[in-house]
Amino acid sequence: MNAVDEIKEVIKKNKKRVAKELQESKELVFLVKKSITTKLTDEEKGKVKEQLLDICKAIPAFTVFMLPGGALLLPLLIKLIPDILPSAFRADDEPLEEEK
């Protein structure tokens, strides 16, 4: 596998992860709207908490990436602080569902 193929594979994998994170964020919006009119179950409250933490984790990772040299610094930070990434990006070994 050459460098171009590796880059294409990384882009493809992360595209799926971004899509997964967006789907989870849509669920968060739905649950927040639902909480206005009804009481959330403990499971729904847990999902809201997890998604809010994911959003809070994405902001520092994006900020580091945008710094000069951030593309080089972010992988180092991920090695030192693995929890800096949102949940959709953490599990490299976890297979993502194929798009249909």
Side-chain angles (χ1 to χ4, degrees):
M1 190 179 244
N2 62 27
V4 174
D5 291 335
E6 289 178 19
I7 291 170
K8 286 180 182 179
E9 186 65 31
V10 169
I11 290 172
K12 185 178 176 182
K13 180 171 60 171
N14 286 323
K15 178 181 141 189
K16 291 177 184 177
R17 290 181 175 174
V18 168
K20 180 181 177 186
E21 194 64 37
L22 287 173
Q23 182 63 36
E24 291 174 355
S25 296
K26 286 179 185 177
E27 183 180 8
L28 171 65
V29 170
F30 170 77
L31 289 173
V32 169
K33 286 180 181 178
K34 180 181 175 184
S35 71
I36 294 170
T37 57
T38 62
K39 193 166 185 141
L40 297 178
T41 66
D42 288 338
E43 180 183 342
E44 290 171 333
K45 287 178 186 178
K47 287 180 182 181
V48 169
K49 182 179 178 181
E50 180 182 339
Q51 281 305 303
L52 288 174
L53 288 174
D54 275 354
I55 290 170
C56 291
K57 289 177 185 178
I59 293 169
F62 180 70
T63 304
V64 168
F65 183 75
M66 295 305 294
L67 292 172
L72 301 173
L73 182 61
L74 188 58
L76 294 173
L77 280 176
I78 291 169
K79 290 287 185 188
L80 296 173
I81 312 169
D83 288 342
I84 196 171
L85 292 176
S87 60
F89 291 87
R90 268 188 255 136
D92 278 337
D93 298 331
E94 180 181 311
L96 294 174
E97 293 179 16
E98 292 295 320
E99 294 179 11
K100 296 179 182 178

